[in-house]
Amino acid sequence: MIRFAEKQTDRKTEFLAGLTTFFTMVYIIVVNPVILSDAGVPFEQAFTATVIATVVGTLWMAIFANYPIAIAPGMGLNAYFAYSVVGSHGGISYETAFSAVFVAGMLFLLLSLTPLRSKLIEVIPDSLKHGITAGIGLFIAFIGLRLTGIIQAHPQNLVALGDLHAPSAVLTLIGLAVTLILMMRGVNGALFYGMVVTGIIAYATGQLHFDKGIVSLPSLPEGLIITNPFAAIGDVIGHSLYAVVFSFLLVTLFDTTGTMIGVAQQAGLMKGNTLPRAREALLADSVATTIGAMFGTSPTSAYIESSTGVAAGGRTGWTALAVAVLFVIAAFFSPLVGAVAGLSAITAPALIIVGSLMISNIAHISWHQLDEAFPAFLIILSMPLTSSIATGIALGFISYPLLKIARGRWRDVPLLLYVLAVLFFLQLAFLPH
Ligand SMILES: Nc1nc2[nH]cnc2c(=O)[nH]1
């Protein structure tokens, strides 16, 4: 049940938070089908599947887990699906790749029902938990800077300052200034109103236009891609896609867990070392991944963009409910959504500002203890550099036990952490990313 109780929030704040999260993540209903169609998935099929997976996962999160966290197909895993899995291993079709996603989703679902679920969260040392939140903060800010061209590619240094005179950069900086001023003045929903003001300026200056109109009816699913679970399992066995299933499972499990911990910590919703209702929260993602695979999308994940809604005051499932309802509405407004989602300057200020809020977590890391500090530092450093939450977590999990052993404190590390370190090592060393 969704409850406001003792969370110091109200319906209006939650709705504004939902709007904020929605606008920072709605690009996915355009971008995800574009990426998946590179692998041959029909665009309309992927569009509908993206909306269905997002609505199912986010509604589940709202109703059963009561967290202000949205679920949608992850940007890392759609690229992995389209560019590393489909066509590899001697010509894997997208239908077979969806079988692998389906089986990974089912395994994740089973895992979410076992005690291992809460163990996974409790076993993560505090310094790594804070490192994950801070790393996500840097990553999200980097995404905002990169998408708008404020930071751009550089042949020697990889990244460099972009052209600050470019319209997109100027618009972002104006949006950033407007949003920060609104926040300084204590305006509720400043992140969302900042987007509205930026959108209006974009329209007035000709950067935002609605060439394809506003409304269009969503197409119905052309049919399920996976109808028989046993056939899907047979497909995975027949093509020996074990490593692919393992990668999907490991990445989605740790991306989602890391993101949930990060966002819950930001929202003040962690109870000590534990995430209350972790079962329902993980089920939201595993159910969405499984159903999404049946309709035709790559695995879902808890979305880092949810942190913008939390920064806007979202504390309960009402925020997620608003996101889910807005995604249903968005399915009818795909031309409008496409136009706004195509102009990243509108949402980038929220991503950059939220990054600055999330990095405050580094204050809780024991920097004077190298065996605690260095793994956290690796996580914070590598999330933006590798554009992968799961890789950041993997590096932290591998280095943590190693440093504890080097310090003679190997007994302080729970057995499960050693097991995870080995699994992450094997994945990083031997499987494609
Ligand atoms: N946590 C998370 N958030 C995202 N937002 C967009 N893509 C992703 C992803 O792959 N993982």
Side-chain angles (χ1 to χ4, degrees):
M1 268 300 292
I2 296 174
R3 298 174 297 269
F4 283 125
E6 89 276 341
K7 297 245 171 65
Q8 295 175 337
T9 181
D10 55 60
R11 222 163 277 217
K12 180 172 171 243
T13 306
E14 295 287 315
F15 179 64
L16 273 178
L19 274 172
T20 307
T21 296
F22 171 76
F23 277 107
T24 53
M25 67 180 282
V26 68
Y27 67 87
I28 197 64
I29 66 173
V30 182
V31 175
N32 199 44
V34 167
I35 291 178
L36 294 179
S37 57
D38 278 351
V41 187
F43 186 92
E44 294 299 333
Q45 176 100 34
F47 178 87
T48 313
T50 303
V51 174
I52 290 173
T54 304
V55 171
V56 167
T58 308
L59 261 188
W60 190 295
M61 184 66 85
I63 296 169
F64 299 116
N66 193 26
Y67 281 119
I69 298 176
I71 303 276
M75 279 297 284
L77 283 173
N78 55 10
Y80 176 64
F81 178 99
Y83 307 121
S84 295
V85 178
V86 175
S88 68
H89 296 68
I92 298 294
S93 68
Y94 72 78
E95 288 93 344
T96 300
F98 281 129
S99 292
V101 177
F102 178 81
V103 172
M106 292 295 291
L107 290 174
F108 185 12
L109 216 151
L110 293 176
L111 213 74
S112 308
L113 295 170
T114 70
L116 193 64
R117 155 206 77 236
S118 40
K119 268 264 162 298
L120 272 180
I121 292 168
E122 284 160 30
V123 89
I124 304 177
D126 273 352
S127 53
L128 300 196
K129 282 201 180 98
H130 293 302
I132 291 169
T133 313
I136 290 176
L138 274 190
F139 181 24
I140 202 168
F142 180 51
I143 292 173
L145 293 170
R146 203 183 55 192
L147 287 178
T148 51
I150 292 179
I151 294 295
Q152 65 178 21
H154 186 277
Q156 274 86 42
N157 297 332
L158 299 183
V159 285
L161 189 62
D163 175 9
L164 294 187
H165 297 284
S168 162
V170 173
L171 186 59
T172 307
L173 294 175
I174 293 173
L176 198 56
V178 169
T179 314
L180 284 171
I181 290 167
L182 290 175
M183 288 178 83
M184 293 295 97
R185 309 303 305 168
V187 174
N188 280 336
L191 287 170
F192 174 67
Y193 293 126
M195 287 182 213
V196 173
V197 173
T198 315
I200 292 171
I201 296 172
Y203 186 72
T205 55
Q207 292 185 65
L208 179 64
H209 27 82
F210 304 103
D211 303 336
K212 296 188 182 149
I214 306 280
V215 186
S216 96
L217 276 182
S219 60
L220 290 170
E222 287 169 20
L224 291 178
I225 291 187
I226 290 168
T227 46
N228 179 350
F230 297 105
I233 296 170
D235 212 8
V236 166
I237 296 173
H239 290 88
S240 305
L241 289 182
Y242 310 111
V244 171
V245 169
F246 178 67
S247 281
F248 278 142
L249 181 62
L250 207 64
V251 173
T252 186
L253 176 62
F254 278 92
D255 188 336
T256 282
T257 310
T259 306
M260 283 176 188
I261 291 173
V263 176
Q265 230 167 24
Q266 180 199 2
L269 299 175
M270 292 288 284
K271 288 259 157 42
N273 217 11
T274 61
L275 178 73
R277 303 176 305 283
R279 184 173 98 128
E280 288 72 17
L282 287 178
L283 275 176
D285 184 31
S286 49
V287 168
T289 293
T290 311
I291 292 181
M294 296 169 72
F295 281 95
T297 178
S298 47
T300 56
S301 184
Y303 249 44
I304 37 176
E305 287 85 347
S306 311
S307 50
T308 58
V310 168
R315 292 292 177 273
T316 73
W318 283 101
T319 296
L321 180 65
V323 173
V325 171
L326 289 165
F327 263 94
V328 174
I329 297 172
F332 292 85
F333 289 86
S334 58
L336 169 78
V337 167
V340 174
L343 194 62
S344 41
I346 296 177
T347 50
L351 297 177
I352 298 165
I353 292 169
V354 169
S356 80
L357 303 179
M358 295 187 80
I359 203 164
S360 65
N361 265 273
I362 58 172
H364 304 296
I365 296 170
S366 315
W367 291 109
H368 54 279
Q369 252 180 286
L370 195 62
D371 50 341
E372 295 287 330
F374 189 76
F377 170 71
L378 265 188
I379 294 178
I380 297 167
L381 183 68
S382 58
M383 278 191 190
L385 290 185
T386 62
S387 293
S388 164
I389 294 171
T391 303
I393 292 177
L395 293 174
F397 271 54
I398 294 169
S399 55
Y400 189 85
L402 289 178
L403 287 179
K404 287 289 176 191
I405 293 170
R407 202 179 162 193
R409 292 265 179 94
W410 62 273
R411 275 179 217 277
D412 293 356
V413 181
L415 180 66
L416 183 57
L417 223 55
Y418 285 111
V419 175
L420 290 170
V422 172
L423 290 178
F424 275 124
F425 174 78
L426 293 175
Q427 194 232 3
L428 278 186
F430 300 111
L431 299 181
H433 302 291

